[in-house]
Amino acid sequence: MITKRNFGKTDGKDVFAYRLTNKSGDLSAEIITYGGIVRTLEYKSTDVVLGRDSIEEYLDNKGCYGALIGRNSNRIFGGEFSLNGKKYTLAKNDHGVCNLHGGDKGYNKRVWDAREIDGCEPSLELMLFDPDGCEGFPGNVNVKVTYTVTNDNALKIHYEAESDADTVINLTNHSYFNLNGHASGSAKNHTLQISAPFFTPNTKDCYPYGEILSVENTPFDFRNGKVLKDGLDADFEQVKMFNGFDHNFVLDGTGYRKYAVAKGDISGITMECYTDLPGVQLYTGNGIEKDRVCKDGAVYDTHYGFCLETQKFPNAANIPYFPSVFVRKGEKYDTVSAYKFI
């Protein structure tokens, strides 16, 4: 089932909120056309994503709650990259050091066109035309992201894009999860397992400099599962530097596979995570804006939610041995990730 309501207006365009509910009614997602934002994600009446209440609040969406991220997710050091012998200059919108999440007006700040597909499993297609030179990236790009609420209680996200010139494309979703409920407080006592034998350490400015390290005997070893708090409280430079995790994990295996499992300590809700991509950014809400009233009157704080952002590696545009974020003219960018609830 799909329902639609008006959610306001920005840039002279109407913004709509679509609610997708599966056959059993156990899982529903509300998605707004501004930023492709997952505003609510309710499993058996527990809303497990952080969010805001109005379009006005989302226009100042510090932390990118629930948003689609592009043209490039995460960071590009120096706000520049070279492609086919030409240097491209981007906004340094992350402390004047990196390009972050596509620039000053990435996909998280644009109004998408929408098409409902109210079939056996309700889907919402979001479409965006990203013109050549926008935010400094080359190529006219047509982007389509399809959200589906499946009958086995998953939110599936299918990302597709094509360009008329060689370019960078690396899309993700920036939802913050708290499986005890978005207004339940800290997520530090959640259990998290990530099938990742390696991670990419960051500079102090939070971008990978090219090294790939084993998680063995580090707080980054989530392979057998552990309470988030045990990693967050570790006396380890890469954790202390950011007051938590804001790092890319190098996932085991290839193809579409389960890469992570998270469980709420109070609710008992389990979330299985799937992707066909090589990496995921674990961000533990280290910089969540404090004292701001958010969705349903909730006030969030540090570590009240965590993100699992599937991706090619950050700064891959400048590190040739990382999985490539370059998409050639006429080549189709096509990837699927999902979050399944039990």
Side-chain angles (χ1 to χ4, degrees), residues 16-291:
F16 297 100
Y18 292 84
R19 181 171 291 277
L20 283 59
T21 305
N22 68 0
K23 191 179 249 185
S24 67
D26 284 345
L27 186 67
S28 69
E30 186 174 65
I31 296 150
I32 65 172
T33 53
Y34 176 76
I37 289 168
V38 179
R39 199 188 79 82
T40 67
L41 185 58
E42 296 181 12
Y43 176 62
K44 295 186 175 179
S45 301
T46 299
D47 186 356
V48 297
V49 294
L50 278 57
R52 309 196 189 281
D53 275 331
S54 68
I55 186 61
E56 290 77 20
E57 292 171 84
Y58 277 115
L59 294 178
D60 182 24
N61 189 20
K62 292 179 181 174
C64 300
Y65 289 177
L68 292 176
I69 304 297
R71 184 178 301 194
N72 182 77
S73 62
N74 221 301
R75 292 169 173 84
I76 298 176
F77 171 61
E80 61 184 29
F81 65 91
S82 294
L83 177 59
N84 299 331
K86 180 178 178 180
K87 180 184 284 188
Y88 292 90
T89 301
L90 316 171
K92 295 181 188 178
N93 61 316
D94 186 38
H95 304 292
V97 176
C98 293
N99 178 268
L100 177 63
H101 293 337
D104 292 324
K105 194 168 184 179
Y107 294 178
N108 58 308
K109 296 180 180 177
R110 303 189 207 176
V111 180
W112 295 63
D113 295 322
R115 184 171 79 95
E116 303 174 35
I117 306 174
D118 199 358
C120 179
E121 294 182 323
S123 296
L124 183 69
E125 284 186 356
L126 296 178
M127 293 149 286
L128 183 72
F129 174 69
D130 189 22
D132 176 53
C134 188
E135 289 294 333
F137 291 96
N140 294 295
V141 177
N142 286 292
V143 186
K144 181 169 72 173
V145 177
T146 304
Y147 287 106
T148 302
V149 173
T150 70
N151 288 330
D152 63 350
N153 295 322
L155 178 65
K156 184 172 72 173
I157 311 174
H158 184 191
Y159 306 88
E160 300 171 84
E162 286 188 85
S163 175
D164 66 359
D166 294 355
T167 191
V168 168
I169 304 176
N170 188 22
L171 310 180
T172 196
N173 178 272
H174 209 292
S175 288
Y176 291 70
F177 295 98
N178 186 319
L179 302 179
N180 295 327
H182 81 95
S184 64
S186 176
K188 290 178 72 171
N189 289 316
H190 281 53
T191 301
L192 179 63
Q193 181 269 330
I194 305 176
S195 300
F198 303 97
F199 75 103
T200 53
N202 293 330
T203 71
K204 64 179 179 58
D205 293 308
C206 205
Y207 65 88
Y209 52 86
E211 196 168 11
I212 299 173
L213 296 181
S214 171
V215 301
E216 189 79 32
N217 298 319
T218 78
F220 289 80
D221 193 351
F222 286 89
R223 289 173 295 179
N224 294 319
K226 65 183 178 186
V227 177
L228 264 177
K229 185 177 185 294
D230 292 344
L232 292 169
D233 293 345
D235 184 13
F236 193 79
E237 183 183 10
Q238 281 286 320
V239 176
K240 292 167 67 177
M241 196 183 300
F242 307 105
N243 189 31
F245 296 95
D246 193 359
H247 295 79
N248 173 66
F249 285 70
V250 180
L251 298 177
D252 200 15
T254 58
Y256 188 73
R257 70 252 188 239
K258 182 166 65 177
Y259 70 87
V261 180
K263 185 174 182 179
D265 57 299
I266 298 170
S267 68
I269 292 173
T270 296
M271 180 175 73
E272 297 180 342
C273 305
Y274 298 81
T275 194
D276 52 18
L277 288 167
V280 66
Q281 187 87 359
L282 171 62
Y283 175 54
T284 49
N286 317 324
I288 285 177
E289 190 178 12
K290 302 179 182 181
D291 303 323

